[in-house]
Amino acid sequence: MDSETILIIGANGQIGSVLTEALRAKYPKQTVLATDIREPESPSGPFTLLNVLDKDALEELVSSHRVSQIYHLAAILSAKGELDPLRTWDINMQSLFNVLEVARTKAVKKVFFPSSIAVFGPEANKKNTDQFEALTPRTVYGISKVAGENWCQYYFDRYGLDVRSVRYPGIIGHQSMPGGGTTDYAVEIFHEAIKNQSYSCFLNRDTRLPMMFMEDAIRATISIMDAPAEQVKIRSSYNLAGMSFTPEELAEEIQKHIPDFKISYAPDHREQIARSWPESINDQSARTDWNWQEKYDLARLTETMIRELKAKILV
Ligand code: SER
């Protein structure tokens, strides 16, 4: 195996922090360089402060470390993005342009760009939403992800840049907290169930969304990056699925472990965003092309979240 030097942008985030650890378990620690706009609480390896909007700083880092792979995880998510749409567009798009241009001009071998179920809009079939369903997003985050996917395809076609991408569903993990998304309830609920035995949910009881356990999301990310290039046939972004559930179904599963747990519903502006997204995703292309297969269903996710969080919170 050629030696790799990996740059992670947004390494303190919900996915970035867990991905950084996973890559440091797979590659020599010194070769996995974490970056973020904030210092990490407890760095587990090399870290550099980086604002990815500063293209010169990114270029300097990629050159001086001879970076061979970039994972670009920095973005403003769906709910927070709506607070300042134009700034969200600027940040999400300019950061991607900087990554694509630096990767192209500095001969970076591979780039990972996370897309999202937010690329779909209310016109798409809600159930088993197809890979090639029309993309008509209603959030600025979703619009930026659709545009981002198309730019990845463009850099692949025009410059041969090896960009790879998946459309993450809501990601649920015990290691980190999400920030600014519409699927965040599915992480918050576990923390509140353990601390207070109650949770007020910002989505309606029957709002079904596609979700995935963090370990599966990390495995999908590393699998698509490890796949031989010819197996990565879709160069915009792959649909990816783990499970789908409603807040009520999740609460019932939690009650199997915490019988006193109570949920109430106070839907806010995030409900409208959730209603514009698919309920479930068809990810046959990822399964066929690079052997994607999830390991966690709702029961296993719930059991693992409660066990891990109890150990962390109730010490
Ligand atoms: N989890 C993200 C959000 O809710 C979707 O990609 O914004």
Side-chain angles (χ1 to χ4, degrees):
M1 188 168 75
D2 290 351
S3 66
E4 302 286 343
T5 303
I6 297 175
L7 183 74
I8 302 160
I9 298 166
N12 296 352
Q14 186 202 10
I15 298 174
S17 56
V18 187
L19 182 66
T20 301
E21 295 308 310
L23 290 170
R24 284 182 178 156
K26 178 174 161 68
Y27 295 97
K29 259 191 181 184
Q30 289 312 310
T31 64
V32 179
L33 175 60
T35 71
D36 203 288
I37 44 171
R38 276 177 292 274
E39 294 279 354
E41 274 172 27
S42 44
S44 68
F47 177 87
T48 303
L49 275 179
L50 174 72
N51 181 343
V52 62
L53 299 178
D54 182 346
K55 187 176 171 215
D56 292 343
L58 175 65
E59 192 166 274
E60 153 59 23
L61 211 54
V62 167
S63 291
S64 61
H65 288 79
R66 299 175 192 275
V67 168
S68 60
Q69 296 186 21
I70 300 178
Y71 290 76
H72 171 37
L73 297 169
I76 306 215
L77 297 192
S78 59
K80 188 165 175 217
E82 295 306 293
L83 301 178
D84 195 341
L86 296 184
R87 183 168 163 271
T88 301
W89 172 259
D90 277 349
I91 292 175
N92 289 0
M93 295 314 297
Q94 196 55 55
S95 63
L96 177 62
F97 288 136
N98 289 351
V99 168
L100 291 174
E101 266 304 279
V102 169
R104 176 179 80 82
T105 54
K106 297 293 164 192
V108 171
K109 284 194 293 191
K110 285 184 212 170
V111 174
F112 178 79
F113 171 68
S115 188
S116 161
I117 53 168
V119 294
F120 298 109
E123 290 79 10
N125 277 318
K126 290 253 170 264
K127 293 189 188 0
N128 207 25
T129 305
D130 192 71
Q131 173 70 46
F132 298 107
E133 184 65 71
L135 305 178
T136 56
R138 291 299 197 280
T139 60
V140 64
Y141 171 69
I143 297 172
S144 75
K145 288 298 183 190
V146 173
E149 289 186 2
N150 285 318
W151 277 104
C152 290
Q153 176 84 60
Y154 184 88
Y155 269 69
F156 175 75
D157 291 340
R158 171 119 194 228
Y159 304 114
L161 185 66
D162 190 351
V163 196
R164 303 170 181 212
S165 176
V166 294
R167 293 171 176 157
Y168 288 127
I171 307 295
I172 302 163
H174 49 83
Q175 302 94 330
S176 53
M177 293 303 282
T182 301
T183 57
D184 296 12
Y185 91 84
V187 181
E188 291 168 10
I189 192 172
F190 284 101
H191 288 258
E192 293 306 310
I194 290 168
K195 282 190 261 183
N196 303 317
Q197 290 80 52
S198 73
Y199 180 63
S200 171
C201 184
F202 58 74
L203 297 185
N204 264 326
R205 67 173 70 233
D206 60 350
T207 303
R208 184 178 303 282
L209 287 173
M211 299 277 183
M212 179 175 283
F213 189 53
M214 179 68 83
E215 189 186 302
D216 277 337
I218 299 296
R219 215 163 34 76
T221 307
I222 294 179
S223 299
I224 192 176
M225 287 297 271
D226 280 351
E230 62 278 8
Q231 283 181 20
V232 185
K233 296 190 176 122
I234 293 174
R235 293 299 182 149
S236 50
S237 190
Y238 277 91
N239 274 8
L240 191 67
M243 64 191 89
S244 284
F245 55 74
T246 65
E248 189 167 42
E249 288 165 355
L250 177 56
E252 282 166 9
E253 199 61 39
I254 291 173
Q255 281 158 352
K256 293 182 187 167
H257 303 266
I258 306 173
D260 291 340
F261 175 63
K262 300 254 176 323
I263 185 163
S264 56
Y265 301 93
D268 65 15
H269 64 284
R270 289 169 280 192
E271 172 65 19
Q272 199 189 345
I273 297 176
R275 287 278 170 197
S276 75
W277 289 353
E279 293 183 4
S280 60
I281 295 287
N282 181 335
D283 62 354
Q284 194 53 51
S285 297
R287 290 173 197 269
T288 304
D289 291 357
W290 41 275
N291 303 319
W292 163 245
Q293 173 70 60
E294 80 282 2
K295 289 190 177 163
Y296 283 79
D297 60 11
L298 176 58
R300 189 168 174 211
L301 170 140
T302 305
E303 188 268 314
T304 311
M305 285 295 287
I306 291 178
R307 180 167 28 84
E308 295 289 336
L309 284 177
K310 270 189 177 165
K312 205 150 119 180
I313 294 171
L314 304 177
V315 281

